[in-house]
PDB file of all heavy atoms in Angstrom:
ATOM      1  N   ASP A   1      58.825  45.959  40.868  1.00 98.00           N
ATOM      2  CA  ASP A   1      58.370  45.989  39.481  1.00 98.00           C
ATOM      3  C   ASP A   1      58.504  44.596  38.885  1.00 98.00           C
ATOM      4  O   ASP A   1      58.812  43.622  39.586  1.00 98.00           O
ATOM      5  CB  ASP A   1      59.175  47.015  38.678  1.00 98.00           C
ATOM      6  CG  ASP A   1      60.689  46.807  38.823  1.00 98.00           C
ATOM      7  OD1 ASP A   1      61.121  45.691  39.198  1.00 98.00           O
ATOM      8  OD2 ASP A   1      61.449  47.767  38.571  1.00 98.00           O
ATOM      9  N   ARG A   2      58.276  44.495  37.575  1.00 98.00           N
ATOM     10  CA  ARG A   2      58.323  43.187  36.922  1.00 98.00           C
ATOM     11  C   ARG A   2      59.678  42.506  37.097  1.00 98.00           C
ATOM     12  O   ARG A   2      59.750  41.308  37.417  1.00 98.00           O
ATOM     13  CB  ARG A   2      58.030  43.346  35.429  1.00 98.00           C
ATOM     14  CG  ARG A   2      58.164  42.052  34.614  1.00 98.00           C
ATOM     15  CD  ARG A   2      58.509  42.371  33.176  1.00 98.00           C
ATOM     16  NE  ARG A   2      59.724  43.163  33.096  1.00 98.00           N
ATOM     17  CZ  ARG A   2      60.057  43.899  32.032  1.00 98.00           C
ATOM     18  NH1 ARG A   2      59.261  43.962  30.986  1.00 98.00           N
ATOM     19  NH2 ARG A   2      61.187  44.585  32.019  1.00 98.00           N
ATOM     20  N   ASP A   3      60.766  43.233  36.889  1.00 98.00           N
ATOM     21  CA  ASP A   3      62.086  42.627  37.029  1.00 98.00           C
ATOM     22  C   ASP A   3      62.330  42.151  38.450  1.00 98.00           C
ATOM     23  O   ASP A   3      62.863  41.057  38.671  1.00 98.00           O
ATOM     24  CB  ASP A   3      63.175  43.613  36.603  1.00 98.00           C
ATOM     25  CG  ASP A   3      63.163  43.900  35.110  1.00 98.00           C
ATOM     26  OD1 ASP A   3      62.553  43.107  34.360  1.00 98.00           O
ATOM     27  OD2 ASP A   3      63.746  44.916  34.694  1.00 98.00           O
ATOM     28  N   GLY A   4      61.937  42.980  39.422  1.00 98.00           N
ATOM     29  CA  GLY A   4      62.099  42.578  40.807  1.00 98.00           C
ATOM     30  C   GLY A   4      61.252  41.363  41.150  1.00 98.00           C
ATOM     31  O   GLY A   4      61.684  40.481  41.902  1.00 98.00           O
ATOM     32  N   PHE A   5      60.050  41.300  40.595  1.00 98.00           N
ATOM     33  CA  PHE A   5      59.167  40.154  40.819  1.00 98.00           C
ATOM     34  C   PHE A   5      59.799  38.876  40.289  1.00 98.00           C
ATOM     35  O   PHE A   5      59.820  37.843  40.966  1.00 98.00           O
ATOM     36  CB  PHE A   5      57.824  40.417  40.136  1.00 98.00           C
ATOM     37  CG  PHE A   5      56.766  39.384  40.418  1.00 98.00           C
ATOM     38  CD1 PHE A   5      55.792  39.630  41.364  1.00 98.00           C
ATOM     39  CD2 PHE A   5      56.722  38.195  39.714  1.00 98.00           C
ATOM     40  CE1 PHE A   5      54.796  38.683  41.617  1.00 98.00           C
ATOM     41  CE2 PHE A   5      55.746  37.247  39.962  1.00 98.00           C
ATOM     42  CZ  PHE A   5      54.775  37.493  40.916  1.00 98.00           C
ATOM     43  N   CYS A   6      60.307  38.943  39.072  1.00 98.00           N
ATOM     44  CA  CYS A   6      60.887  37.742  38.460  1.00 98.00           C
ATOM     45  C   CYS A   6      62.183  37.327  39.149  1.00 98.00           C
ATOM     46  O   CYS A   6      62.501  36.122  39.205  1.00 98.00           O
ATOM     47  CB  CYS A   6      61.103  37.973  36.969  1.00 98.00           C
ATOM     48  SG  CYS A   6      59.552  38.172  36.037  1.00 98.00           S
ATOM     49  N   ARG A   7      62.933  38.276  39.680  1.00 98.00           N
ATOM     50  CA  ARG A   7      64.126  37.918  40.460  1.00 98.00           C
ATOM     51  C   ARG A   7      63.727  37.241  41.773  1.00 98.00           C
ATOM     52  O   ARG A   7      64.297  36.217  42.155  1.00 98.00           O
ATOM     53  CB  ARG A   7      64.961  39.160  40.764  1.00 98.00           C
ATOM     54  CG  ARG A   7      65.856  39.619  39.628  1.00 98.00           C
ATOM     55  CD  ARG A   7      66.899  40.613  40.123  1.00 98.00           C
ATOM     56  NE  ARG A   7      66.296  41.771  40.777  1.00 98.00           N
ATOM     57  CZ  ARG A   7      65.954  42.886  40.138  1.00 98.00           C
ATOM     58  NH1 ARG A   7      66.129  42.987  38.823  1.00 98.00           N
ATOM     59  NH2 ARG A   7      65.434  43.896  40.811  1.00 98.00           N
ATOM     60  N   LEU A   8      62.761  37.851  42.453  1.00 98.00           N
ATOM     61  CA  LEU A   8      62.323  37.289  43.728  1.00 98.00           C
ATOM     62  C   LEU A   8      61.794  35.873  43.566  1.00 98.00           C
ATOM     63  O   LEU A   8      62.080  34.987  44.384  1.00 98.00           O
ATOM     64  CB  LEU A   8      61.236  38.178  44.345  1.00 98.00           C
ATOM     65  CG  LEU A   8      60.653  37.685  45.671  1.00 98.00           C
ATOM     66  CD1 LEU A   8      61.669  37.799  46.802  1.00 98.00           C
ATOM     67  CD2 LEU A   8      59.380  38.456  46.019  1.00 98.00           C
ATOM     68  N   LEU A   9      61.025  35.641  42.499  1.00 98.00           N
ATOM     69  CA  LEU A   9      60.416  34.332  42.274  1.00 98.00           C
ATOM     70  C   LEU A   9      61.106  33.598  41.136  1.00 98.00           C
ATOM     71  O   LEU A   9      60.459  32.962  40.296  1.00 98.00           O
ATOM     72  CB  LEU A   9      58.922  34.502  42.003  1.00 98.00           C
ATOM     73  CG  LEU A   9      58.128  34.978  43.230  1.00 98.00           C
ATOM     74  CD1 LEU A   9      56.688  35.270  42.862  1.00 98.00           C
ATOM     75  CD2 LEU A   9      58.193  33.949  44.357  1.00 98.00           C
ATOM     76  N   SER A  10      62.425  33.657  41.128  1.00 98.00           N
ATOM     77  CA  SER A  10      63.203  32.851  40.191  1.00 98.00           C
ATOM     78  C   SER A  10      62.937  31.371  40.449  1.00 98.00           C
ATOM     79  O   SER A  10      62.411  30.985  41.513  1.00 98.00           O
ATOM     80  CB  SER A  10      64.694  33.134  40.373  1.00 98.00           C
ATOM     81  OG  SER A  10      65.125  32.708  41.668  1.00 98.00           O
ATOM     82  N   ASP A  11      63.286  30.526  39.506  1.00 98.00           N
ATOM     83  CA  ASP A  11      63.091  29.085  39.689  1.00 98.00           C
ATOM     84  C   ASP A  11      63.750  28.612  40.980  1.00 98.00           C
ATOM     85  O   ASP A  11      63.173  27.830  41.750  1.00 98.00           O
ATOM     86  CB  ASP A  11      63.679  28.312  38.507  1.00 98.00           C
ATOM     87  CG  ASP A  11      62.914  28.552  37.207  1.00 98.00           C
ATOM     88  OD1 ASP A  11      61.926  29.323  37.223  1.00 98.00           O
ATOM     89  OD2 ASP A  11      63.307  27.972  36.180  1.00 98.00           O
ATOM     90  N   ARG A  12      64.961  29.084  41.210  1.00 98.00           N
ATOM     91  CA  ARG A  12      65.689  28.665  42.408  1.00 98.00           C
ATOM     92  C   ARG A  12      64.973  29.092  43.678  1.00 98.00           C
ATOM     93  O   ARG A  12      64.846  28.298  44.634  1.00 98.00           O
ATOM     94  CB  ARG A  12      67.099  29.266  42.378  1.00 98.00           C
ATOM     95  CG  ARG A  12      67.957  28.900  43.583  1.00 98.00           C
ATOM     96  CD  ARG A  12      69.331  29.517  43.443  1.00 98.00           C
ATOM     97  NE  ARG A  12      70.175  29.201  44.591  1.00 98.00           N
ATOM     98  CZ  ARG A  12      71.422  29.617  44.751  1.00 98.00           C
ATOM     99  NH1 ARG A  12      71.990  30.370  43.808  1.00 98.00           N
ATOM    100  NH2 ARG A  12      72.108  29.298  45.834  1.00 98.00           N
ATOM    101  N   ASN A  13      64.469  30.326  43.700  1.00 98.00           N
ATOM    102  CA  ASN A  13      63.765  30.792  44.894  1.00 98.00           C
ATOM    103  C   ASN A  13      62.422  30.112  45.079  1.00 98.00           C
ATOM    104  O   ASN A  13      61.993  29.860  46.220  1.00 98.00           O
ATOM    105  CB  ASN A  13      63.594  32.310  44.835  1.00 98.00           C
ATOM    106  CG  ASN A  13      64.853  33.054  45.223  1.00 98.00           C
ATOM    107  OD1 ASN A  13      65.795  32.472  45.758  1.00 98.00           O
ATOM    108  ND2 ASN A  13      64.886  34.355  44.957  1.00 98.00           N
ATOM    109  N   GLN A  14      61.744  29.807  43.989  1.00 98.00           N
ATOM    110  CA  GLN A  14      60.498  29.050  44.114  1.00 98.00           C
ATOM    111  C   GLN A  14      60.768  27.691  44.753  1.00 98.00           C
ATOM    112  O   GLN A  14      60.052  27.255  45.664  1.00 98.00           O
ATOM    113  CB  GLN A  14      59.851  28.871  42.741  1.00 98.00           C
ATOM    114  CG  GLN A  14      59.268  30.135  42.147  1.00 98.00           C
ATOM    115  CD  GLN A  14      58.514  29.878  40.854  1.00 98.00           C
ATOM    116  OE1 GLN A  14      57.995  28.785  40.630  1.00 98.00           O
ATOM    117  NE2 GLN A  14      58.442  30.882  39.992  1.00 98.00           N
ATOM    118  N   ASP A  15      61.793  27.019  44.276  1.00 98.00           N
ATOM    119  CA  ASP A  15      62.118  25.701  44.822  1.00 98.00           C
ATOM    120  C   ASP A  15      62.545  25.803  46.279  1.00 98.00           C
ATOM    121  O   ASP A  15      62.239  24.925  47.100  1.00 98.00           O
ATOM    122  CB  ASP A  15      63.226  25.044  43.996  1.00 98.00           C
ATOM    123  CG  ASP A  15      62.774  24.715  42.581  1.00 98.00           C
ATOM    124  OD1 ASP A  15      61.552  24.660  42.342  1.00 98.00           O
ATOM    125  OD2 ASP A  15      63.649  24.525  41.702  1.00 98.00           O
ATOM    126  N   ARG A  16      63.243  26.870  46.620  1.00 98.00           N
ATOM    127  CA  ARG A  16      63.647  27.080  48.012  1.00 98.00           C
ATOM    128  C   ARG A  16      62.429  27.280  48.905  1.00 98.00           C
ATOM    129  O   ARG A  16      62.364  26.739  50.024  1.00 98.00           O
ATOM    130  CB  ARG A  16      64.573  28.290  48.098  1.00 98.00           C
ATOM    131  CG  ARG A  16      64.964  28.661  49.517  1.00 98.00           C
ATOM    132  CD  ARG A  16      65.810  29.922  49.546  1.00 98.00           C
ATOM    133  NE  ARG A  16      66.069  30.346  50.901  1.00 98.00           N
ATOM    134  CZ  ARG A  16      66.684  31.467  51.241  1.00 98.00           C
ATOM    135  NH1 ARG A  16      67.127  32.284  50.293  1.00 98.00           N
ATOM    136  NH2 ARG A  16      66.866  31.779  52.507  1.00 98.00           N
ATOM    137  N   LEU A  17      61.453  28.031  48.420  1.00 98.00           N
ATOM    138  CA  LEU A  17      60.249  28.276  49.202  1.00 98.00           C
ATOM    139  C   LEU A  17      59.517  26.967  49.478  1.00 98.00           C
ATOM    140  O   LEU A  17      59.028  26.730  50.590  1.00 98.00           O
ATOM    141  CB  LEU A  17      59.345  29.256  48.453  1.00 98.00           C
ATOM    142  CG  LEU A  17      58.153  29.820  49.214  1.00 98.00           C
ATOM    143  CD1 LEU A  17      58.601  30.637  50.427  1.00 98.00           C
ATOM    144  CD2 LEU A  17      57.285  30.673  48.288  1.00 98.00           C
ATOM    145  N   VAL A  18      59.451  26.099  48.475  1.00 98.00           N
ATOM    146  CA  VAL A  18      58.822  24.793  48.661  1.00 98.00           C
ATOM    147  C   VAL A  18      59.592  23.983  49.691  1.00 98.00           C
ATOM    148  O   VAL A  18      59.012  23.394  50.619  1.00 98.00           O
ATOM    149  CB  VAL A  18      58.744  24.031  47.326  1.00 98.00           C
ATOM    150  CG1 VAL A  18      58.193  22.617  47.549  1.00 98.00           C
ATOM    151  CG2 VAL A  18      57.874  24.776  46.322  1.00 98.00           C
ATOM    152  N   ALA A  19      60.913  23.932  49.554  1.00 97.00           N
ATOM    153  CA  ALA A  19      61.746  23.136  50.460  1.00 97.00           C
ATOM    154  C   ALA A  19      61.624  23.612  51.901  1.00 97.00           C
ATOM    155  O   ALA A  19      61.645  22.796  52.839  1.00 97.00           O
ATOM    156  CB  ALA A  19      63.201  23.181  49.999  1.00 97.00           C
ATOM    157  N   GLU A  20      61.509  24.918  52.101  1.00 97.00           N
ATOM    158  CA  GLU A  20      61.434  25.471  53.455  1.00 97.00           C
ATOM    159  C   GLU A  20      60.016  25.436  54.021  1.00 97.00           C
ATOM    160  O   GLU A  20      59.823  25.688  55.218  1.00 97.00           O
ATOM    161  CB  GLU A  20      61.957  26.902  53.464  1.00 97.00           C
ATOM    162  CG  GLU A  20      63.449  27.009  53.164  1.00 97.00           C
ATOM    163  CD  GLU A  20      63.945  28.450  53.164  1.00 97.00           C
ATOM    164  OE1 GLU A  20      63.108  29.368  53.322  1.00 97.00           O
ATOM    165  OE2 GLU A  20      65.167  28.648  52.996  1.00 97.00           O
ATOM    166  N   GLY A  21      59.028  25.133  53.184  1.00 97.00           N
ATOM    167  CA  GLY A  21      57.644  25.177  53.645  1.00 97.00           C
ATOM    168  C   GLY A  21      57.236  26.557  54.098  1.00 97.00           C
ATOM    169  O   GLY A  21      56.451  26.720  55.036  1.00 97.00           O
ATOM    170  N   GLY A  22      57.756  27.576  53.427  1.00 97.00           N
ATOM    171  CA  GLY A  22      57.634  28.950  53.891  1.00 97.00           C
ATOM    172  C   GLY A  22      56.418  29.684  53.361  1.00 97.00           C
ATOM    173  O   GLY A  22      55.504  29.110  52.758  1.00 97.00           O
ATOM    174  N   LEU A  23      56.442  30.981  53.610  1.00 98.00           N
ATOM    175  CA  LEU A  23      55.397  31.894  53.165  1.00 98.00           C
ATOM    176  C   LEU A  23      56.046  33.077  52.473  1.00 98.00           C
ATOM    177  O   LEU A  23      56.971  33.684  53.022  1.00 98.00           O
ATOM    178  CB  LEU A  23      54.581  32.404  54.364  1.00 98.00           C
ATOM    179  CG  LEU A  23      53.757  33.682  54.149  1.00 98.00           C
ATOM    180  CD1 LEU A  23      52.664  33.452  53.109  1.00 98.00           C
ATOM    181  CD2 LEU A  23      53.155  34.153  55.479  1.00 98.00           C
ATOM    182  N   CYS A  24      55.575  33.402  51.294  1.00 98.00           N
ATOM    183  CA  CYS A  24      56.033  34.599  50.588  1.00 98.00           C
ATOM    184  C   CYS A  24      54.851  35.541  50.407  1.00 98.00           C
ATOM    185  O   CYS A  24      53.853  35.185  49.775  1.00 98.00           O
ATOM    186  CB  CYS A  24      56.628  34.235  49.228  1.00 98.00           C
ATOM    187  SG  CYS A  24      57.329  35.662  48.351  1.00 98.00           S
ATOM    188  N   ILE A  25      54.961  36.731  50.997  1.00 98.00           N
ATOM    189  CA  ILE A  25      53.992  37.805  50.773  1.00 98.00           C
ATOM    190  C   ILE A  25      54.684  38.800  49.845  1.00 98.00           C
ATOM    191  O   ILE A  25      55.474  39.629  50.279  1.00 98.00           O
ATOM    192  CB  ILE A  25      53.572  38.479  52.085  1.00 98.00           C
ATOM    193  CG1 ILE A  25      52.916  37.457  53.025  1.00 98.00           C
ATOM    194  CG2 ILE A  25      52.612  39.645  51.802  1.00 98.00           C
ATOM    195  CD1 ILE A  25      52.532  38.027  54.387  1.00 98.00           C
ATOM    196  N   VAL A  26      54.420  38.683  48.562  1.00 98.00           N
ATOM    197  CA  VAL A  26      55.076  39.531  47.570  1.00 98.00           C
ATOM    198  C   VAL A  26      54.404  40.898  47.562  1.00 98.00           C
ATOM    199  O   VAL A  26      53.176  40.993  47.462  1.00 98.00           O
ATOM    200  CB  VAL A  26      54.970  38.920  46.157  1.00 98.00           C
ATOM    201  CG1 VAL A  26      55.759  39.760  45.158  1.00 98.00           C
ATOM    202  CG2 VAL A  26      55.436  37.477  46.150  1.00 98.00           C
ATOM    203  N   TYR A  27      55.215  41.949  47.653  1.00 98.00           N
ATOM    204  CA  TYR A  27      54.670  43.305  47.528  1.00 98.00           C
ATOM    205  C   TYR A  27      55.218  43.908  46.243  1.00 98.00           C
ATOM    206  O   TYR A  27      56.420  44.060  46.077  1.00 98.00           O
ATOM    207  CB  TYR A  27      55.062  44.183  48.718  1.00 98.00           C
ATOM    208  CG  TYR A  27      54.271  45.471  48.739  1.00 98.00           C
ATOM    209  CD1 TYR A  27      52.980  45.494  49.254  1.00 98.00           C
ATOM    210  CD2 TYR A  27      54.788  46.645  48.208  1.00 98.00           C
ATOM    211  CE1 TYR A  27      52.223  46.664  49.245  1.00 98.00           C
ATOM    212  CE2 TYR A  27      54.043  47.816  48.196  1.00 98.00           C
ATOM    213  CZ  TYR A  27      52.771  47.819  48.716  1.00 98.00           C
ATOM    214  OH  TYR A  27      52.020  48.976  48.694  1.00 98.00           O
ATOM    215  N   THR A  28      54.305  44.234  45.315  1.00 98.00           N
ATOM    216  CA  THR A  28      54.739  44.683  44.000  1.00 98.00           C
ATOM    217  C   THR A  28      53.786  45.728  43.447  1.00 98.00           C
ATOM    218  O   THR A  28      52.807  46.113  44.102  1.00 98.00           O
ATOM    219  CB  THR A  28      54.855  43.486  43.043  1.00 98.00           C
ATOM    220  OG1 THR A  28      55.579  43.863  41.864  1.00 98.00           O
ATOM    221  CG2 THR A  28      53.481  42.949  42.656  1.00 98.00           C
ATOM    222  N   HIS A  29      54.076  46.190  42.230  1.00 98.00           N
ATOM    223  CA  HIS A  29      53.230  47.138  41.503  1.00 98.00           C
ATOM    224  C   HIS A  29      52.950  46.530  40.126  1.00 98.00           C
ATOM    225  O   HIS A  29      53.812  46.570  39.248  1.00 98.00           O
ATOM    226  CB  HIS A  29      53.933  48.485  41.310  1.00 98.00           C
ATOM    227  CG  HIS A  29      54.357  49.162  42.572  1.00 98.00           C
ATOM    228  ND1 HIS A  29      55.440  48.754  43.311  1.00 98.00           N
ATOM    229  CD2 HIS A  29      53.841  50.259  43.213  1.00 98.00           C
ATOM    230  CE1 HIS A  29      55.586  49.554  44.360  1.00 98.00           C
ATOM    231  NE2 HIS A  29      54.629  50.471  44.319  1.00 98.00           N
ATOM    232  N   PHE A  30      51.775  45.997  39.923  1.00 98.00           N
ATOM    233  CA  PHE A  30      51.456  45.388  38.631  1.00 98.00           C
ATOM    234  C   PHE A  30      51.428  46.418  37.499  1.00 98.00           C
ATOM    235  O   PHE A  30      51.461  46.041  36.323  1.00 98.00           O
ATOM    236  CB  PHE A  30      50.120  44.661  38.699  1.00 98.00           C
ATOM    237  CG  PHE A  30      50.198  43.301  39.361  1.00 98.00           C
ATOM    238  CD1 PHE A  30      49.103  42.779  40.036  1.00 98.00           C
ATOM    239  CD2 PHE A  30      51.352  42.541  39.297  1.00 98.00           C
ATOM    240  CE1 PHE A  30      49.155  41.530  40.629  1.00 98.00           C
ATOM    241  CE2 PHE A  30      51.423  41.292  39.896  1.00 98.00           C
ATOM    242  CZ  PHE A  30      50.316  40.787  40.558  1.00 98.00           C
ATOM    243  N   ALA A  31      51.378  47.695  37.852  1.00 98.00           N
ATOM    244  CA  ALA A  31      51.402  48.735  36.811  1.00 98.00           C
ATOM    245  C   ALA A  31      52.801  48.964  36.259  1.00 98.00           C
ATOM    246  O   ALA A  31      52.954  49.669  35.261  1.00 98.00           O
ATOM    247  CB  ALA A  31      50.847  50.037  37.379  1.00 98.00           C
ATOM    248  N   PHE A  32      53.818  48.396  36.887  1.00 98.00           N
ATOM    249  CA  PHE A  32      55.201  48.698  36.536  1.00 98.00           C
ATOM    250  C   PHE A  32      55.827  47.592  35.686  1.00 98.00           C
ATOM    251  O   PHE A  32      56.626  46.784  36.164  1.00 98.00           O
ATOM    252  CB  PHE A  32      56.042  48.909  37.798  1.00 98.00           C
ATOM    253  CG  PHE A  32      55.673  50.131  38.609  1.00 98.00           C
ATOM    254  CD1 PHE A  32      56.336  50.414  39.790  1.00 98.00           C
ATOM    255  CD2 PHE A  32      54.678  51.002  38.196  1.00 98.00           C
ATOM    256  CE1 PHE A  32      56.012  51.532  40.541  1.00 98.00           C
ATOM    257  CE2 PHE A  32      54.335  52.124  38.943  1.00 98.00           C
ATOM    258  CZ  PHE A  32      55.003  52.389  40.118  1.00 98.00           C
ATOM    259  N   GLY A  33      55.401  47.511  34.429  1.00 97.00           N
ATOM    260  CA  GLY A  33      56.073  46.653  33.464  1.00 97.00           C
ATOM    261  C   GLY A  33      55.538  45.248  33.313  1.00 97.00           C
ATOM    262  O   GLY A  33      56.128  44.450  32.574  1.00 97.00           O
ATOM    263  N   PHE A  34      54.428  44.913  33.962  1.00 98.00           N
ATOM    264  CA  PHE A  34      53.923  43.539  33.891  1.00 98.00           C
ATOM    265  C   PHE A  34      53.133  43.262  32.618  1.00 98.00           C
ATOM    266  O   PHE A  34      52.915  42.103  32.263  1.00 98.00           O
ATOM    267  CB  PHE A  34      53.058  43.236  35.115  1.00 98.00           C
ATOM    268  CG  PHE A  34      53.838  43.013  36.370  1.00 98.00           C
ATOM    269  CD1 PHE A  34      54.336  44.076  37.104  1.00 98.00           C
ATOM    270  CD2 PHE A  34      54.079  41.730  36.829  1.00 98.00           C
ATOM    271  CE1 PHE A  34      55.054  43.874  38.273  1.00 98.00           C
ATOM    272  CE2 PHE A  34      54.796  41.500  37.996  1.00 98.00           C
ATOM    273  CZ  PHE A  34      55.291  42.575  38.722  1.00 98.00           C
ATOM    274  N   SER A  35      52.682  44.303  31.962  1.00 97.00           N
ATOM    275  CA  SER A  35      51.968  44.112  30.694  1.00 97.00           C
ATOM    276  C   SER A  35      52.249  45.303  29.795  1.00 97.00           C
ATOM    277  O   SER A  35      52.634  46.379  30.250  1.00 97.00           O
ATOM    278  CB  SER A  35      50.457  43.967  30.922  1.00 97.00           C
ATOM    279  OG  SER A  35      49.897  45.192  31.356  1.00 97.00           O
ATOM    280  N   ASP A  36      52.036  45.089  28.495  1.00 95.00           N
ATOM    281  CA  ASP A  36      52.267  46.153  27.521  1.00 95.00           C
ATOM    282  C   ASP A  36      51.306  45.953  26.358  1.00 95.00           C
ATOM    283  O   ASP A  36      51.244  44.855  25.778  1.00 95.00           O
ATOM    284  CB  ASP A  36      53.716  46.116  27.033  1.00 95.00           C
ATOM    285  CG  ASP A  36      54.027  47.260  26.075  1.00 95.00           C
ATOM    286  OD1 ASP A  36      53.412  48.324  26.211  1.00 95.00           O
ATOM    287  OD2 ASP A  36      54.885  47.070  25.191  1.00 95.00           O
TER     288      ASP A  36
END
């Protein structure tokens, strides 16, 4: 959900992904709290 998405892609994790040259395949539900 939205909270899980923002935790997964926190600033720290975004920077880690860049540093590792990695790949993130995020699996989420945009219907769960992303807009209101």
Side-chain angles (χ1 to χ4, degrees):
D1 52 20
R2 175 207 57 200
D3 291 342
F5 187 100
C6 294
R7 279 195 303 270
L8 178 70
L9 292 174
S10 65
D11 292 0
R12 180 179 179 181
N13 281 347
Q14 289 186 27
D15 294 341
R16 175 184 174 186
L17 190 62
V18 175
E20 293 179 356
L23 161 64
C24 184
I25 300 177
V26 185
Y27 192 81
T28 194
H29 302 75
F30 281 151
F32 294 178
F34 285 80
S35 69
D36 183 30

